[in-house]
Amino acid sequence: MDVTENSHTNAIDINDEESLDVSMGTDAANTENTEEKELSPTKKKVRANVGKRRLRSPAWETFDLLPVDEDNKKRAKCKHCGIVYVCDSRYGTGNLLNHAKNCIKKSHGDVKQLLMSSSGLRSPQFDYVKFRDLLIEAIIKHNLPFSFVEYEGIRALFAYVSHDIKLPCRNTVKAWVLRKFKSERQKLHTLLSSVQGRICLTSDLWTSICTDGYLALTAHFVDQDWRLHKRIINFCHMPPPHSGVALSEKINALITEWGIEKKLFSITLDNASANTSFVEILMNQLNFRGLLLMSGKFFHVRCCAHILN
């Protein structure tokens, strides 16, 4: 009789606990539903957008985001050529940006935009001093007149590229070119001063159609890194007479001006009669100061091309 009563009592206790659990679960569910119903529309919108990030990279101007596949990886498709890249958090958008720059089917659009993007004119780091130096080098390298900057078409071209570029007048360009010449001349003077070996010279003299004489003097030397250099150190007007005495005075003044009279080894000239007397006079002057090797035995070199000609 006691066993039956105890079993009945335990069964009642278990049923009561299950009923209590079901009741508590129902109350919790009702509480969640009530809280969700009480949410304002703004909070519901925020909760719905949780996990969605705004696409801020410039790559998305060229790519479209594709739906997520079964492997749960984000992919993007190029709008121009159709190539697909993985762009999830592991890979980022670096590969998209690289393709956007090099896409062969991408239209470059306006020429103005292309020039500005490739030359850096749109960049806040645009340096007018650098632009001025490039302009001077272009004028010198291509033998352009100083009035090149005043051409109507050139001014219109630069105005189309950027209104911030103000081209100077030809007199200003002339002053810039002369300043550039003095700067490069000083650099060459420093380079010649650093030469530890000997310097070989070549020179030539000719008369223009207008009967004006010109003299060119070139220096050949090897630097500390064993690199051969050839630099025109003078290109100047040589008025008549073109005699041996006049040439020796001119060349002697030029090499003294450059400070290389103590470093000379030889000078190569053509077989003009004036050059023979000119070399003898110059060699005697240098030997008097003890500046030539072996008393100038190898100083005068005759031009083989001129002899064959």
Side-chain angles (χ1 to χ4, degrees):
M1 186 66 179
D2 295 335
V3 174
T4 305
E5 290 179 357
N6 291 335
S7 301
H8 181 68
T9 303
N10 293 335
I12 293 175
D13 293 339
I14 293 173
N15 292 333
D16 292 341
E17 290 178 359
E18 292 178 354
S19 300
L20 181 60
D21 293 339
V22 172
S23 177
M24 292 177 64
T26 304
D27 293 340
N30 292 333
T31 303
E32 292 179 358
N33 293 332
T34 303
E35 291 177 355
E36 188 173 354
K37 290 180 181 179
E38 292 177 355
L39 286 175
S40 62
T42 303
K43 292 183 178 180
K44 289 182 179 180
K45 185 176 181 180
V46 171
R47 177 176 291 184
N49 290 332
V50 171
K52 295 183 178 180
R53 297 179 60 185
R54 186 176 179 181
L55 303 178
R56 300 177 181 272
S57 174
W60 300 114
E61 298 177 1
T62 309
F63 283 84
D64 290 327
L65 186 63
L66 300 177
V68 180
D69 292 339
E70 297 178 355
D71 55 0
N72 292 328
K73 291 184 178 181
K74 294 183 180 179
R75 288 178 170 83
K77 181 179 180 181
C78 179
K79 298 179 181 179
H80 306 288
C81 64
I83 191 172
V84 178
Y85 287 97
V86 177
C87 59
D88 57 9
S89 58
R90 178 181 176 184
Y91 297 92
T93 59
N95 52 351
L96 305 185
L97 293 173
N98 292 333
H99 176 79
K101 295 178 181 179
N102 303 318
C103 183
I104 58 177
K105 293 188 178 181
K106 182 178 179 180
S107 175
H108 294 291
D110 190 6
V111 176
K112 177 181 178 180
Q113 302 298 328
L114 174 62
L115 292 175
M116 294 177 67
S117 61
S118 61
S119 60
L121 300 182
R122 185 184 290 178
S123 172
Q125 298 179 353
F126 172 72
D127 189 359
Y128 185 79
V129 176
K130 180 64 175 178
F131 170 76
R132 180 194 65 189
D133 293 340
L134 292 175
L135 178 63
I136 295 173
E137 290 180 6
I139 292 175
I140 297 174
K141 183 181 296 184
H142 301 291
N143 197 25
L144 299 174
F146 295 147
S147 59
F148 168 79
V149 294
E150 297 181 348
Y151 291 170
E152 182 179 354
I154 296 299
R155 289 186 174 269
L157 173 63
F158 281 99
Y160 177 73
V161 173
S162 176
H163 295 287
D164 298 332
I165 299 178
K166 304 298 181 183
L167 290 177
C169 64
R170 57 183 175 181
N171 293 328
T172 303
V173 171
K174 177 183 177 181
W176 287 352
V177 171
L178 292 176
R179 190 185 308 167
K180 182 73 172 179
F181 167 75
K182 294 179 180 179
S183 175
E184 294 298 324
R185 181 184 177 88
Q186 182 60 39
K187 292 179 182 178
L188 180 57
H189 193 281
T190 303
L191 178 61
L192 291 174
S193 300
S194 64
V195 176
Q196 298 180 357
R198 291 279 174 165
I199 299 175
C200 298
L201 300 177
T202 56
S203 180
D204 196 10
L205 178 70
W206 69 93
T207 304
S208 67
I209 300 178
C210 301
T211 67
D212 292 328
Y214 291 94
L215 175 69
L217 186 64
T218 308
H220 308 260
F221 57 92
V222 178
D223 62 10
Q224 298 178 0
D225 299 326
W226 289 92
R227 290 178 299 184
L228 179 63
H229 292 262
K230 180 178 67 174
R231 302 297 179 90
I232 298 177
I233 58 177
N234 282 100
F235 185 90
C236 54
H237 178 249
M238 182 63 190
H242 297 163
S243 61
V245 176
L247 289 174
S248 65
E249 292 178 354
K250 185 67 173 180
I251 297 296
N252 193 17
L254 294 178
I255 61 178
T256 303
E257 180 182 356
W258 285 101
I260 59 176
E261 66 275 8
K262 297 181 180 180
K263 300 181 179 182
L264 295 182
F265 178 74
S266 66
I267 183 169
T268 302
L269 304 166
D270 57 27
N271 286 323
S273 58
N275 287 336
T276 302
S277 58
F278 142 60
V279 170
E280 292 179 357
I281 298 174
L282 181 61
M283 187 168 56
N284 290 333
Q285 293 175 349
L286 296 176
N287 279 330
F288 181 77
R289 302 167 59 185
L291 302 180
L292 295 179
L293 292 177
M294 300 183 66
S295 300
K297 182 178 181 180
F298 304 103
F299 183 67
H300 186 197
V301 179
R302 299 180 183 274
C303 178
C304 296
H306 187 267
I307 296 174
L308 295 175
N309 187 45

